[in-house]
Amino acid sequence: MKTLADRLLTKTTPGPSGCVIWTGNTNSNGYPRLTIDGRAVNAQRIAHEQFVGPIPEGHTVGRTCHQVDLSCKGGVTCLHRRCINPGHLFVMTSSEAGRSGRSIAGTGRDWTHCAQGHPFDEANTMVRKSGSRQCRTCHRHRAAASRLRSAERAERRKQAFGAMYAAQQGFVTGVVLSEVRDRNFALAEDLTAEAFIRAWKAWPKCRATTDAQVRAWLRTIARHTVIDHYRVKRNTVETATDPTAWQYANQPVEQSGGCYSVRSGRQLTPA
């Protein structure tokens, strides 16, 4: 039965600068992968443990060949990612690995200016919890641009709703009028306004794209507005303005001196 060392050496080929290039399977990031007991393991870690020594917990394996070759831009195509030469492998922490890379995370610590040319000085530098730096000027510009986009979206929303209101007001009024009792025009106007207030609140979630879909959406809101009105009215207890005048509690306003809703506290007028 082959040992781990034998399995490593049978899947290698000589490379430039003394590298020993892995020819076996690699993961999606281009690092060598060896299957042990059905589990994929980084072949560089196995090579370090077999030929150099154990790897402390919380540490990873780096490659000196990658650090010396400044012409290598890193990434998945980096040939050094597949090097398992024990003489090129060394142990380092994860944070050290991030700083030593060719990515922005690794090289950004040496930048004196951001990508937009603003200096990384004390007044213009923000430090995130992760320790990375952020340009304060760029952050303000992005925040201002975000507020502008939000304002533009709100304005487009208002214009779209205004156009819909102008086109569908008569339709919603007709739906409400057909639902109210005794065809009360004053009450229908109030409930139509309430229906459009509800429609405005639900407007961001409206997915109607055709006139028929918009009308179906508004019809549902209008009918529920009328239903809620009569449900609240049925569950509302009326009491006279004068607590001693109980005999006038449910008389017209001009006879009882005014009735008030216990539920809302507002003066009630005959429907």
Side-chain angles (χ1 to χ4, degrees), residues 119-200:
F120 274 129
D121 53 24
E122 183 177 355
N124 191 50
T125 303
M126 300 170 59
V127 180
R128 299 187 179 95
K129 292 182 179 180
S130 61
S132 60
R133 298 179 299 171
Q134 182 179 10
C135 174
R136 193 180 298 274
T137 301
C138 290
H139 177 74
R140 287 198 298 266
H141 290 172
R142 286 193 295 270
S146 177
R147 290 192 296 269
L148 179 61
R149 289 193 298 269
S150 298
E152 291 174 349
R153 286 195 298 268
E155 183 61 28
R156 289 195 298 268
R157 176 190 173 194
K158 289 171 58 178
Q159 292 177 358
F161 187 84
M164 185 273 293
Y165 176 82
Q168 305 296 343
Q169 181 184 13
F171 169 76
V172 174
T173 301
V175 172
V176 173
L177 191 59
S178 66
E179 296 288 339
V180 298
R181 300 167 187 171
D182 302 326
R183 296 186 64 83
N184 189 324
F185 289 95
L187 178 60
E189 289 181 355
D190 292 341
L191 294 181
T192 298
E194 175 64 25
F196 274 109
I197 291 175
R198 295 187 179 189
W200 167 254

Side-chain angles (χ1 to χ4, degrees), residues 149-262:
R149 289 193 298 269
S150 298
E152 291 174 349
R153 286 195 298 268
E155 183 61 28
R156 289 195 298 268
R157 176 190 173 194
K158 289 171 58 178
Q159 292 177 358
F161 187 84
M164 185 273 293
Y165 176 82
Q168 305 296 343
Q169 181 184 13
F171 169 76
V172 174
T173 301
V175 172
V176 173
L177 191 59
S178 66
E179 296 288 339
V180 298
R181 300 167 187 171
D182 302 326
R183 296 186 64 83
N184 189 324
F185 289 95
L187 178 60
E189 289 181 355
D190 292 341
L191 294 181
T192 298
E194 175 64 25
F196 274 109
I197 291 175
R198 295 187 179 189
W200 167 254
K201 294 178 179 179
W203 185 243
K205 297 181 180 179
C206 179
R207 297 296 180 264
T209 57
T210 65
D211 186 68
Q213 291 175 342
V214 171
R215 288 197 168 195
W217 179 67
L218 289 173
R219 182 185 293 109
T220 301
I221 294 177
R223 293 187 70 252
H224 280 85
T225 301
V226 177
I227 292 171
D228 291 345
H229 166 75
Y230 285 113
R231 180 183 297 117
V232 171
K233 187 174 182 179
R234 184 177 66 248
N235 296 332
T236 300
V237 178
E238 295 181 359
T239 184
T241 304
D242 183 0
T244 61
W246 295 103
Q247 65 272 27
Y248 301 113
N250 292 311
Q251 296 299 319
V253 176
E254 60 271 13
Q255 297 181 24
S256 64
C259 293
Y260 285 82
S261 167
V262 173

Side-chain angles (χ1 to χ4, degrees), residues 37-96:
D37 297 331
R39 185 170 61 94
V41 183
N42 188 305
Q44 291 171 340
R45 296 182 66 90
I46 301 301
H48 190 281
E49 292 173 347
Q50 289 293 315
F51 301 109
V52 181
I55 301 173
E57 184 179 355
H59 287 65
T60 186
V61 177
R63 305 162 309 282
T64 57
C65 52
H66 179 65
Q67 293 184 334
V68 173
D69 187 4
L70 299 180
S71 63
C72 178
K73 296 182 179 180
V76 178
T77 60
C78 173
L79 191 64
H80 305 108
R81 289 193 175 189
R82 292 187 284 134
C83 176
I84 63 170
N85 184 348
H88 292 180
L89 304 179
F90 67 97
V91 173
M92 60 180 173
T93 63
S94 298
S95 59
E96 290 173 342

